[in-house]
Amino acid sequence: MREVDVIGVRVEMPSNQPIVLLREVTGERYLPIWIGAVEATAIAFAQQGVVPPRPLTHDLFKDVLDATGSALSEVQITDVKDGVFYATLVFGSGAQVSARPSDSIALALRMGTRIVVAEDVLDEAGLAVPAEQEDEVEAFREFLDQVTPEDFESPEEH
């Protein structure tokens, strides 16, 4: 397992599909995972420190874990099959729960929990970004500094 940082979320054009971008802490591979708009908003809220007036689902789950003294030890992205990623929530008690990576990442960001990815997942779906392409990554980071959660709302939601 390799620890990753959440670089951020963006909308991939022209499909208008949100993705979350992860990067190896000690490596050069990036892992893009296509996610839903609701989860993209939840991740963006967590990264931007947005506190909604009432808890959203991921906030509620964090509050339940805090209230019951259940520590989330680690989020593991364990597998990818036919383009679908799989994750596991690992708790301090040793219990493990299967979850979608997008929900797992949103929860991990709220709880300050580390995220790791299986080496074979990075081998299969990771993208190595050579130093000469870091300009594109920097442009993506600049985009992330300007994006708002509302950018992920679909036109039907208005």
Side-chain angles (χ1 to χ4, degrees):
M1 293 280 190
R2 303 285 297 230
E3 187 171 359
V4 295
D5 287 327
V6 179
I7 300 301
V9 290
R10 70 168 287 189
V11 176
E12 185 67 26
M13 294 299 181
S15 66
N16 206 32
Q17 178 71 37
I19 65 169
V20 60
L21 185 64
L22 308 175
R23 182 173 194 248
E24 282 182 292
V25 170
T26 58
E28 62 179 24
R29 290 179 291 185
Y30 288 79
L31 183 66
I33 301 175
W34 278 258
I35 61 175
V38 171
E39 293 77 15
T41 300
I43 291 168
F45 272 7
Q47 285 195 302
Q48 296 174 7
V50 174
V51 178
R54 296 180 50 127
L56 300 176
T57 303
H58 300 96
D59 303 306
L60 173 64
F61 194 24
K62 176 195 180 301
D63 291 347
V64 168
L65 292 174
D66 288 344
T68 60
S70 300
L72 179 62
S73 300
E74 187 172 76
V75 164
Q76 300 176 347
I77 299 174
T78 56
D79 205 358
V80 58
K81 294 178 187 167
D82 300 321
V84 176
F85 290 83
Y86 296 84
T88 301
L89 302 175
V90 180
F91 295 92
S93 66
Q96 296 187 9
V97 176
S98 178
R100 298 183 306 177
S102 55
D103 290 326
S104 302
I105 292 166
L107 185 60
L109 288 172
R110 282 164 173 75
M111 300 198 73
T113 302
R114 78 185 206 125
I115 302 167
V116 296
V117 178
E119 190 73 38
D120 58 335
V121 171
L122 283 166
D123 289 343
E124 181 176 337
L127 306 170
V129 178
E132 62 269 13
Q133 291 181 4
E134 281 292 325
D135 289 344
E136 291 179 38
V137 174
E138 187 55 39
F140 180 66
R141 285 189 180 121
E142 288 174 19
F143 166 82
L144 293 174
D145 289 340
Q146 299 169 9
V147 73
T148 66
E150 290 76 28
D151 293 332
F152 299 104
E153 293 178 359
S154 66
E156 307 86 54
E157 293 177 24
H158 293 285

